[in-house]
Every structure is written in structure tokens, then in C-alpha cells.
Amino acid sequence: MNAALKLGDVREAIKPVVFERDLQIISNVQVNGEYRQMVLKAPREMLEQCRAGQFFHLLCPQLGGENPYLRRPMSIYGFYPDKGEMHFLYKVTGEGTRALAHLGAGDTLNVLGPLGRGFTIADNWQHLVLVARGVGLATLAPLALEANRLGRKLTAICSARSDDVLMSVHYFRSLGANVVTVTDAEGTSSIENLEAIIEGLIAEEGVDAFYTCGSNRILRLLQRIGEKHEIPGEIALEQQMACGLGMCHCCVRPFRKEDRVVNLRVCREGPVFDMQEAMPW
Amino acid sequence: MVDLTVDVGSLRLKNPIMPASGTFSEDLADVFDLDLLGAHVTKTITRGWRDGNPTPRVCEVSGSMLNSIGIPSKGVGYFIERVIPFYKRYETPLVVSISGNTADEFATLCSEVSVDGVAAIEVNISCPNIEEDGKAFAIRPSSTFDVMTKLRKATHLPLWAKLTPNTGETPEVARAAEDAGADALVVANTILAMAIDINTRRPKLGNLMGGLSGPSLKPIALRMAYQCARATKIPVIGCGGISSVEDVLEFLIAGATAVQVGTATFINPLAMPRIIDELAAWLARHGYSSVKDVIGSVIDDEQKAGVVFMEAAP
């Protein structure tokens, strides 16, 4: 916003683009052993602002003996302006998500968003490959929706501990994606096997861009393959947040920019970043 | 129509609600029209580039938070070229928060930011002074007086001194700032605190310790605002855990002329505009025509100075 500011437009008003709203919960149910899905009724004008890779900052309720204070960031799992619905997929891990799990149909949840910078799909990227593990798939799911809308070919490589926690496979298939599953249980999720699968895709079909989220090992692998074949990529990253808007500078991570390392805010410059600039953690 | 205007020294504000430094930036314009606010207070800058502290920079404690951000700064050049022009689109006065490692560096920056578009300078004298064993300037009356004297000479703009609760000499520090020429006191910054993860045994902040803010800080900040209002003749701007219109009224009644809302904005980004509406409604409902009628209206029955200025619980 600042960078674009010129002397001539200093009086120009800024239109608020971030919504703070109480949304009604349609459902909030367990979808498998580890994950819950929350469906909220949301206004069209809010949903039309959403982009794949963006997040909402949720005011988790004080329920069930849980007293979360700060908001919790959560990536958008699905947004449907026509149906008036927003979906989140989450794993119950701490005070905030435990509190969220107590909410039921008809309850309200205060949300702030959409926030941050989402994924980019350049006009000339025809074959997109996403590689993700665990809950990282929730963040990448709306990318499949976007690829489908834009008529791009998508291959989703989904990694998990065992078959029964492979999420979103049906979802990706329903959007016409080619889905490859690898699991620890079957011994197919090793980095060596992933590398062979990806090299195979590059050799046979050509790959224009990579997308990932959630795994350090997968990031390192994709950085190496991306550099070797000169294929661009993006990664969605997480960090503890306070304000979610860019004011507090709590959620920084280090990135390589040319010859130096700089701190960028995950909430504002991210949560989606250039894959080669990201630093493994 | 209730009159919400207040005068902080020579500076007239359309209402007494403004953000606390560090909890506000241009980014909040994505949520509401920033011209609704009484003043804009920027995040503290230093003269040169600073990366800030290691992460985690924030953690939650019961009903409040700790932070140790470490004043990341892009330096004064970026601030003057990019940040100040952004705020020129607003009528609301711009208050620039600055900090320095030494009194001279602080004064140089104070002079450099005394430019068109800046209405007042908030000097964050709660930051460590590397010439005095890392103790914040505002911990002692003498170091407060010395740095404020240099800052006073460096600018013609109104100077607001932001005090720290990490002192045992609040009234003396407040008087030292006033004697050195401060136009107002911002009371107060965060208080030094700590949290440890019992499972990993590691402090929850990357910097080990950090500042407590949020509702837990409010009674401490209120006590200090009251003491400062009693100890000096310059306006006091209350700051610390203010989250509701009731909190605002408590500070105004204690003697604050205006207030800063900080951490509450992280929880409810619309906290400030909502509080402004609720303040007008509360005053109307209670028959006040001006917010000024509430300021300093505390009924303390002229307690002895020894009680008002005590620094230990009885």
C-alpha cells in the first residue's frame, strides 16, 4: 500500500477490505480421527474478497473451561460465494482449537478477514503440482478450487501417516485433480520416493509451479528440485500471531532476499511466500 | 450532541481515543476509516535499521499477553519518505513515537522527525538506556530529566513522554519530565514480565522476558495515571489494558485527558471506533454535554499526599 503511494493521491480514501463479523455456524463436526470441519454461513461480499491461501483471524470462544485471549489465525479451507459458505478444517491441538470444538450448529463465531496474501497462479502456468502433508492440505485445498475455476491441470501429492488420515483426497479428485497418495504406513512417503514421483511428473508432463505447506523436509526437496529445473513455487507458512493485520510485528519469519536475510510478517507479506526465499525451520 | 473534544496541551483532539504505539499502523485502514480517531500514534522507530527480537515475540497469559518485539525499525529515512505521507490524507493529528539508545541519538531523531505532517512527538523513554546499565530512562527521575532536557531542545513540537511502570518513583519521574519541558505524559508502557512452558522448561518468549499488556495491566496503569495527574499540571494520557468504555471512563475520572487503546485492538480491531460511539452515548445518558466534565472528577476526599504517592501496597 505504501509503496504505491504517490504525492498526487495522498487524500485518496482507503476502502476497508477486511471484515469483522459474527458468523453463524452451520456445522462443526469431526471428519476423521484428528480433524474437525467447521462450516459457517457468510455474506457474499466477504466470500468474494477471499483468495486461496488467505486466512481468517478467529475469536475463539471462552467455552468448556478454555480461556483463549488472542485471536487464532486459520487458513481458509473452502469459500463458496454462491452457497454463502465458508469452511475451515482444523486439528484440535491447543486452547484455541479446543474452544472452537465446543461450538455447535446455531452458535456464532467472530471472524476477521480475509487476511494476508494468497497463492498466485500465473497466466502461463498450465500444470500445477501441490505437495503437502497433514493439515497443510487444508491450506492448499482452495488452490484446487481455483485451479479448477481457471481450467489448469493440477496434481496433488498428499502425504500422511496412514491412509485413514489422508484428507481431502476425494475433494481434490472431485475438482478434477490427479491425486497421488503417499503414507508412512506403506513406506511410500520418504523424501526419496517423493523426489522420484516429482521427477517423473517433470519428465513426462512438465511442471510449471509447485505449492506446499507444513513440512520442512518437503520444502527442502521442492527448493532443490525447483532450483534444478527452474520451476517456481510458493509456500504457505505459519507463525504465532497477535493482531493478524501487520501492526504488531509478532509473526515474522526470516527470508532470503538477494544477499541478505530479512524478517517478513507472515500475516501481511504472507502467509504465502516465494518458495526459494523461504528458509527451512 | 455531546462534545468529545479534548485539549492535550496546545493540541486539540476531536475525541480522547487514540491507539497505543505498537498496536497501530497504516494496516488498520483495511478495517475502518482512521479519521474516526482522536489521534494516530505510530509504532516506535529508531534512527537506524533494527531487526527486532527473536521469535516467539508474543505469548498469551491469563486474559492478557506478553510481547517482546524489540522495536524492529526501517529507520528514519523510510519513515519520513513513506509513513508520514500516508497519514497526510487524514485530518486526525499524527503523533510519532521515537526511541534512542542514548540521549544524544534520541535528540537527533527527535529533531529529524520534527517535520510537516507531524503534530506531536511521543518519546518512548521506557526503552533501555545503554549508557545507564540498560535501565530505561524513565526508571529514574535524574535520567528522565536529562533525556527530556535534550529532547526539549531538539524540537518545537509538543513532546509527550511515555513513562514505564517498571519504576518505584512514578510521581518523581513524572515531575522530572514536566520540569524538563514535557507537554504531556503517556502513562504507561508495558510492565516487565515472564512466562515459562512447564513441559519444555523454556521461557515462552524468544527474548526470555517481555512486556505485559491487556486487562491485567489496567489497575497498575490506572494507579500511575492517577498519581501523575496529581503530581503534575500537564495533561496525562492513560494507557494500559483499556478495552471498554468503562475502562476509558475510569482513566478520565482518575484525571487522564485522553487515553490510548492498545492490546484490545488485537482482539477487536474495531475496539476504538466502538468505544468512541459508546463514550458519546454514555455521556449523553448521564447528562454530560462535554467529556471534559468527567476528567479528573474522582472523589478521593483530598487524601494525604503520602497516600496518593505511595509506591507500596499498604
Side-chain angles (χ1 to χ4, degrees):
Chain A
M1 185 189 305
N2 273 346
L5 189 70
K6 296 184 190 72
L7 276 177
D9 57 20
V10 287
R11 301 297 303 180
E12 190 182 300
I14 296 167
K15 188 171 171 273
V17 291
V18 174
F19 299 82
E20 188 251 31
R21 292 276 192 285
D22 282 326
L23 301 186
Q24 197 176 42
I25 294 168
I26 297 170
S27 65
N28 181 27
V29 295
Q30 196 150 334
V31 289
N32 63 31
E34 295 185 56
Y35 297 92
R36 297 180 70 90
Q37 184 171 352
M38 184 183 285
V39 177
L40 297 144
K41 191 170 155 53
R44 174 178 276 272
E45 72 265 24
M46 176 192 266
L47 296 166
E48 282 176 345
Q49 292 278 341
C50 296
R51 296 290 173 268
Q54 287 188 304
F55 70 98
F56 274 79
H57 217 19
L58 310 182
L59 190 61
C60 301
Q62 311 231 324
L63 277 178
E66 309 294 344
N67 295 294
Y69 177 64
L70 296 167
R71 285 177 184 262
R72 300 294 196 269
M74 192 171 287
S75 57
I76 305 169
Y77 181 56
F79 55 99
Y80 306 93
D82 294 338
K83 280 199 283 183
E85 285 183 8
M86 177 147 61
H87 298 190
F88 293 108
L89 187 71
Y90 63 101
K91 188 172 174 174
V92 177
T93 53
E95 198 165 26
T97 45
R98 280 199 301 271
L100 281 184
H102 281 282
L103 292 168
D107 290 339
T108 58
L109 176 67
N110 185 277
V111 307
L112 176 73
L115 297 169
R117 180 184 155 272
F119 294 105
T120 45
I121 301 176
D123 291 343
N124 59 345
W125 294 352
Q126 289 305 322
H127 185 199
L128 317 175
V129 173
L130 68 84
V131 189
R133 188 170 164 88
V135 81
L137 287 163
T139 304
L140 294 167
L143 188 66
L145 201 64
E146 190 65 6
N148 178 271
R149 196 180 65 78
L150 295 169
R152 309 298 168 85
K153 183 166 138 186
L154 176 74
T155 300
I157 303 174
C158 307
S159 171
R161 283 208 296 275
S162 64
D163 239 355
D164 62 3
V165 289
L166 277 178
M167 289 178 309
S168 314
V169 170
H170 293 294
Y171 177 80
F172 285 129
R173 288 213 171 103
S174 72
L175 290 166
N178 168 33
V179 180
V180 180
T181 61
V182 294
T183 63
D184 300 355
E186 290 170 348
T188 50
S189 63
S190 70
I191 284 297
E192 293 72 24
N193 192 44
L194 272 179
E195 182 164 9
I197 292 168
I198 296 165
E199 287 287 0
L201 283 171
I202 294 169
E204 286 156 32
E205 306 173 38
V207 173
D208 296 311
F210 291 116
Y211 301 89
T212 191
C213 177
S215 162
N216 214 1
R217 292 192 317 150
I218 293 173
L219 169 62
R220 285 177 196 274
L221 172 68
L222 292 179
Q223 281 180 331
R224 188 153 48 80
I225 297 176
E227 197 171 15
K228 182 172 147 197
H229 296 280
E230 294 186 348
I231 299 169
E234 290 188 319
I235 181 168
L237 292 168
E238 294 185 324
Q239 183 59 286
Q240 268 180 298
M241 289 184 191
C243 76
L245 288 161
M247 303 183 288
C248 70
H249 292 254
C250 286
C251 65
V252 297
R253 295 184 75 108
F255 292 87
R256 277 188 287 260
K257 289 270 183 192
E258 288 143 19
D259 290 341
R260 53 196 294 230
V261 172
V262 296
N263 278 328
L264 298 176
R265 297 166 295 182
V266 171
C267 75
R268 177 59 67 163
E269 282 85 37
V272 175
F273 293 92
D274 180 276
M275 196 182 284
Q276 295 298 346
E277 289 177 356
M279 293 175 70
W281 54 94
Chain B
M1 189 68 184
V2 179
D3 177 14
L4 288 183
T5 61
V6 293
D7 296 312
V8 178
S10 57
L11 190 63
R12 171 151 297 186
L13 308 182
K14 69 183 101 172
N15 65 63
I17 310 297
M18 68 183 90
S21 177
T23 65
F24 177 75
S25 70
E26 305 91 292
D27 302 305
L28 198 56
D30 283 352
V31 187
F32 67 89
D33 178 5
L34 302 184
D35 245 342
L36 295 170
L37 301 174
H40 295 152
V41 185
T42 56
K43 183 169 172 65
T44 300
I45 61 155
T46 53
R47 280 200 82 201
W49 177 283
R50 277 173 65 101
D51 274 334
N53 286 337
T55 55
R57 290 177 168 188
V58 58
C59 76
E60 198 166 283
V61 294
S62 302
S64 288
M65 65 174 271
L66 308 187
N67 85 80
S68 179
I69 314 288
I71 314 185
S73 174
K74 290 180 178 165
V76 64
Y78 177 92
F79 188 80
I80 288 171
E81 284 165 32
R82 297 291 185 83
V83 180
I84 293 174
F86 171 87
Y87 289 100
K88 285 189 176 171
R89 77 192 69 208
Y90 298 110
E91 283 175 6
T92 295
L94 178 65
V95 181
V96 170
S97 171
I98 62 168
S99 174
N101 286 323
T102 67
D104 288 331
E105 183 189 316
F106 216 139
T108 304
L109 178 57
C110 187
S111 157
E112 286 168 335
V113 297
S114 299
V115 296
D116 180 46
V118 178
I121 299 174
E122 180 179 289
V123 290
N124 182 3
I125 57 171
S126 319
C127 60
N129 170 5
I130 59 167
E131 290 167 327
E132 297 225 12
D133 320 324
K135 293 259 190 296
F137 293 98
I139 284 189
R140 298 185 184 113
S142 59
S143 47
T144 300
F145 184 83
D146 292 347
V147 72
M148 289 306 297
T149 301
K150 286 190 173 171
L151 289 164
R152 181 68 284 167
K153 285 181 186 149
T155 187
H156 60 282
L157 289 173
L159 264 186
W160 298 1
K162 186 158 181 182
L163 306 189
T164 172
N166 300 319
T167 178
E169 301 175 90
T170 300
E172 292 82 359
V173 166
R175 282 193 201 108
E178 179 183 34
D179 290 346
D183 296 285
L185 302 172
V186 180
V187 186
N189 213 313
T190 57
I191 191 163
L192 193 62
M194 191 174 189
I196 295 173
D197 182 322
I198 58 167
N199 296 313
T200 64
R201 301 193 185 199
R202 288 182 184 281
K204 288 187 179 175
L205 292 175
N207 195 46
L208 310 184
M209 300 186 289
L212 171 71
S213 68
S216 314
L217 180 62
K218 200 198 76 181
I220 297 168
L222 181 73
R223 178 268 298 173
M224 289 182 66
Y226 172 66
Q227 289 178 311
C228 291
R230 280 306 201 99
T232 70
K233 293 188 167 57
I234 53 179
V236 168
I237 298 161
C239 178
I242 295 171
S243 315
S244 65
V245 68
E246 289 80 9
D247 293 343
V248 171
L249 286 158
E250 217 176 338
F251 275 86
L252 297 179
I253 291 166
T257 300
V259 297
Q260 297 186 342
V261 176
T263 304
T265 297
F266 294 171
I267 315 301
N268 295 302
L270 292 165
M272 288 187 285
R274 281 182 188 148
I275 286 172
I276 294 165
D277 286 348
E278 288 166 10
L279 181 61
W282 190 95
L283 292 166
R285 203 161 61 241
H286 290 81
Y288 292 98
S289 58
S290 166
V291 69
K292 296 184 197 77
D293 299 338
V294 178
I295 295 170
S297 61
V298 60
I299 298 168
D300 54 3
D301 297 327
E302 302 301 318
Q303 291 275 5
K304 289 199 299 275
V307 174
V308 172
F309 298 143
M310 65 170 53
E311 290 282 340

